Amino acid sequence: MEPLVTKGLTKSIGVSNFNGQQLSEILKINKIPCVMNQIENHPFLGQKELIDLCKSNDVMVTSYSPLGAPDRPTRKLGVNDIQISVANDAETFQVNSLIKEIAKARGCSASQLLIAYNLNQGMACIPKSSNPIRMEENYKALKVSLTDDDIRRMDTLACNFKAYPFKLWENHIHYPFTTSHKESPASS
């Protein structure tokens, strides 16, 4: 990607779904800084360590799936135990009792709270919606202010739930959703 920046074909370089080890490796070798890591993030995943690594290296974070992708078929089918029990009292993040409690205290919807969770930590956030009413509701999350205590309490929900685990690629040597990705043949 660096030659594309040099030729003026793109202004900057970003990555998607890089884990901490992968990001650290690329930061060591790149000549042109990586400026973005797009990752799934919400209170039920627990990405604090990766986000802190990004911030400490001036890599902006874009958060996708802040609502946990409640419309995904695998989620409704309860393909694995985490998906079934991800919210303490139902299958969607929006009905979790803590999420509802904090949303009520902040005068916003649960969806707005989940988006604000990312925005209030300095991340870009891209919730998916094609519904104009939901899009307008999501936009209002920009006005939701959370306290450090709100964030800390929401962080207690972390259970490593991924709405998009990309299982098709889990045997690839660079699959990012393991504790540390597998060693590549070039580095062994």
Side-chain angles (χ1 to χ4, degrees):
M1 293 296 297
E2 289 181 335
L4 297 176
V5 176
T6 304
K7 291 178 183 177
L9 298 173
T10 189
K11 289 186 178 188
S12 52
I13 298 171
V15 295
S16 182
N17 295 311
F18 272 44
N19 64 29
Q21 182 179 351
Q22 291 167 322
L23 186 63
S24 293
E25 287 175 15
I26 199 160
L27 291 171
K28 286 178 195 171
I29 63 169
N30 64 341
K31 292 175 180 56
I32 297 172
C34 174
V35 299
M36 180 71 65
N37 190 8
Q38 183 179 359
I39 59 171
E40 179 178 341
N41 192 56
H42 45 73
F44 297 87
L45 182 51
Q47 296 267 52
K48 184 171 176 19
E49 193 174 302
L50 176 58
I51 292 164
D52 288 347
L53 175 67
C54 289
K55 287 179 178 180
S56 69
N57 285 282
D58 296 320
V59 177
M60 181 71 180
V61 175
T62 296
S63 167
Y64 67 83
S65 205
L67 309 179
D71 295 332
R72 284 186 52 95
T74 55
R75 184 174 173 71
K76 289 189 176 166
L77 293 172
V79 171
N80 63 49
D81 292 337
I82 293 173
Q83 288 179 311
I84 292 168
S85 65
V86 64
N88 294 332
D89 47 351
E91 71 172 6
T92 62
F93 294 175
Q94 290 86 348
V95 297
N96 174 273
S97 58
L98 179 61
I99 297 297
K100 289 192 312 187
E101 174 192 326
I102 297 173
K104 183 177 180 183
R106 297 292 161 242
C108 64
S109 71
S111 295
Q112 289 167 337
L113 178 73
L114 291 161
I115 295 166
Y117 171 82
N118 290 281
L119 297 175
N120 278 242
Q121 295 181 77
M123 293 176 260
C125 186
I126 51 174
K128 176 188 173 282
S129 183
S130 58
N131 179 318
I133 294 168
R134 286 192 192 130
M135 291 167 73
E136 184 176 340
E137 179 186 355
N138 292 347
Y139 183 73
K140 292 177 182 175
L142 291 167
K143 295 182 180 181
V144 177
S145 292
L146 303 178
T147 66
D148 289 343
D149 190 55
D150 292 335
I151 301 289
R152 184 194 54 73
R153 290 176 66 207
M154 292 171 74
D155 283 343
T156 67
L157 298 171
C159 63
N160 204 30
F161 171 78
K162 289 200 66 52
Y164 293 93
F166 301 102
K167 291 288 188 184
L168 180 65
W169 300 302
E170 71 183 333
N171 291 321
H172 190 279
I173 62 169
H174 297 295
Y175 182 71
F177 307 130
T178 54
T179 304
S180 62
H181 75 282
K182 299 170 189 148
E183 200 171 306
S184 66
S187 63
S188 49

